[in-house]
Amino acid sequence: MKKVLSLILALTLVLALAACGGKDNTPPADTKEPADTQQPADDTQKPADAQQPAEPSGEKKTYNIGVSIYQFNDNFMTLYRNELEKYFGELNSDTVEYKVNIQDGKNDMAEQTNQIQNFITQGMDLIICNPVQTSSADTLIDLAVDAGIPMVLINREPLGVDADGNTVDESYPGIVDNATVCYVGADARQSGTYQGEIVAALDNKGDMNGDGKVSYVMIIGDPENPDAQYRTEFSIKALTDAGIEVEELTAQIGNWDTNQGQQIAQNALNQFGDQIDVIFCNNDGMALGAAAAIEQAGRKVGEDILLLGVDALEECQQMVQNGTMTGTVLNDHIGQSHKAVDVAVQALNGESIDNYYWVDYVKVDASYFA
Ligand code: BGC
């Protein structure tokens, strides 16, 4: 009898809940009510139902935003992530609150896919994603689009369309097919070009040992990432475009990581010695490692070797100023994170968004500080 009673009780509860309305399936972007029916009970957040008096105008709106960063353990993305969170915080007011939940993708695609799935289950109003693998971004985009949740991709450009919006991979559905998906980033070709131009502008055009050509070591971020591909290609293109003869001594993958950058530079310095004119690094993280290896090898930046990075980390800006680094390129984490947040807010307000937003790089060599 007890069992029957509790069964009836459970059934009544289920029916009562169903009568109150289940999950709102309309996309959050174009509705005035955030999809917060799955949030923990909080009277101020509950959508007004028929029995209650109409919501007083000016009631605070809460938006839940899920953010997945490819890996917390990354110099540049740490700056980016902190600025993103800070800027959302600055936009909080008496009328609106942005609740930001930031997850570490741990450089693991399965982990990140799981996070995106959880964001969807939790009824997030918007997802910001820094993909672990750009080639798998379409899977994440599909998940968000199917759930009707706007998605802002950052920092790692999903393959398929180049910075001019031209389709480079027909098989890839791309961002352009989806009105609620966009990418906010910087055109990595520009950063590569700036690295090369810094070298080409020197009196000796980068030929430190005077053998008539620029022999270089290339330390690559990760081969799958367009930032790494374009920086590798366009830094050298800027030299050859300036009529400079080049020779690649070695090109190796350092996974954006300082220790790996140091190891690669150390091995190259041992193997090639004075033949090396320039060490190009796809980012400053690896350039910091290379700088340590250069010092250990008794070489002097600006005198017998050149060192280039990208990001313009605070530390590297100081090194450019004191001459222990030839140059870097400002990867504007402030401009990019603010743009990502501004676009997110636009989407949350139901306004239309573009598919691509580009933020400029800035060349940072000695003249930048003059
Ligand atoms: C930055 C790197 C960073 C990478 C992460 C690049 O734009 O230059 O420092 O490791 O993004 O995706």
Side-chain angles (χ1 to χ4, degrees):
M1 186 61 184
K2 251 191 189 164
K3 257 192 189 160
V4 176
L5 264 179
S6 40
L7 251 174
I8 293 174
L9 205 69
L11 205 66
T12 322
L13 251 175
V14 168
L15 285 173
L17 274 176
C20 286
K23 180 168 164 39
D24 180 4
N25 280 327
T26 41
D30 52 20
T31 164
K32 292 266 182 292
E33 297 292 339
D36 57 7
T37 47
Q38 299 191 359
Q39 298 310 308
D42 174 347
D43 284 337
T44 58
Q45 292 178 28
K46 276 189 186 150
D49 70 28
Q51 265 87 51
Q52 282 171 359
E55 230 177 50
S57 60
E59 173 144 354
K60 197 164 183 166
K61 262 185 203 165
T62 301
Y63 291 116
N64 293 287
I65 293 124
V67 182
S68 175
I69 298 293
Y70 97 94
Q71 172 165 241
F72 278 8
N73 184 20
D74 177 295
N75 292 342
F76 175 75
M77 284 316 298
T78 300
L79 295 172
Y80 193 125
R81 157 166 69 93
N82 291 340
E83 188 60 36
L84 189 91
E85 195 170 19
K86 184 170 152 238
Y87 187 55
F88 262 124
E90 285 167 17
L91 297 184
N92 285 334
S93 69
D94 292 344
T95 55
V96 65
E97 185 185 5
Y98 299 99
K99 283 193 178 164
V100 186
N101 176 344
I102 307 190
Q103 302 279 322
D104 182 359
K106 298 183 185 144
N107 209 14
D108 177 343
M109 197 57 223
E111 171 91 24
Q112 182 167 60
T113 307
N114 211 13
Q115 285 165 4
I116 302 297
Q117 272 158 346
N118 285 341
F119 288 157
I120 291 169
T121 316
Q122 290 158 8
M124 291 289 175
D125 298 303
L126 184 132
I127 296 170
I128 296 181
C129 180
N130 170 212
V132 169
Q133 279 170 10
T134 47
S135 57
S136 302
D138 54 343
T139 314
L140 306 180
I141 293 174
D142 286 349
L143 285 172
V145 169
D146 289 350
I149 300 176
M151 179 177 257
V152 178
L153 294 140
I154 55 167
N155 170 256
R156 298 180 147 203
E157 183 192 345
L159 305 174
V161 174
D162 68 17
D164 298 324
N166 301 315
T167 304
V168 291
D169 179 359
E170 296 285 350
S171 62
Y172 182 73
I175 290 173
V176 283
D177 290 343
N178 298 300
T180 55
V181 180
C182 71
Y183 173 70
V184 177
D187 179 1
R189 292 177 296 186
Q190 192 183 34
S191 53
T193 302
Y194 284 168
Q195 282 189 315
E197 285 178 358
I198 291 172
V199 173
L202 298 171
D203 288 342
N204 64 5
K205 295 184 185 305
D207 182 10
M208 302 304 282
N209 56 21
D211 65 356
K213 56 182 189 254
V214 171
S215 307
Y216 65 89
V217 171
M218 182 66 70
I219 307 187
I220 300 169
D222 81 271
E224 216 242 14
N225 187 324
D227 278 11
Q229 292 164 6
Y230 282 146
R231 287 173 192 169
T232 300
E233 181 187 344
F234 281 78
S235 52
I236 303 310
K237 185 174 180 299
L239 294 180
T240 52
D241 282 354
I244 296 167
E245 192 186 329
V246 296
E247 175 193 31
E248 180 183 285
L249 296 171
T250 181
Q252 290 187 40
I253 294 155
N255 288 309
W256 307 111
D257 178 72
T258 300
N259 291 334
Q260 292 185 45
Q262 179 163 359
Q263 197 55 56
I264 293 167
Q266 191 179 310
N267 293 345
L269 285 158
N270 284 339
Q271 189 180 349
F272 300 106
D274 291 345
Q275 270 180 276
I276 306 175
D277 293 301
V278 188
I279 299 186
F280 283 105
C281 302
N282 282 171
N283 79 342
D284 279 354
M286 298 186 295
L288 284 170
I294 287 171
E295 202 188 325
Q296 270 166 23
R299 303 283 294 271
K300 283 239 156 17
V301 172
E303 289 178 22
D304 55 31
I305 196 164
L306 302 174
L307 174 63
L308 280 298
V310 175
D311 284 340
L313 299 178
E314 195 70 33
E315 211 173 336
C316 293
Q317 291 196 37
Q318 277 167 23
M319 289 166 67
V320 173
Q321 261 180 298
N322 70 28
T324 49
M325 208 168 147
T326 314
T328 180
V329 181
L330 174 72
N331 192 0
D332 183 2
H333 69 274
I334 297 180
Q336 290 176 63
S337 57
H338 288 203
K339 177 55 85 184
V341 171
D342 289 343
V343 171
V345 168
Q346 231 173 290
L348 287 167
N349 288 337
E351 293 163 31
S352 66
I353 55 171
D354 293 341
N355 287 126
Y356 284 90
Y357 294 90
W358 300 104
V359 175
D360 270 334
Y361 283 104
V362 181
K363 201 186 279 186
V364 178
D365 59 7
S367 66
Y368 178 84
F369 303 98

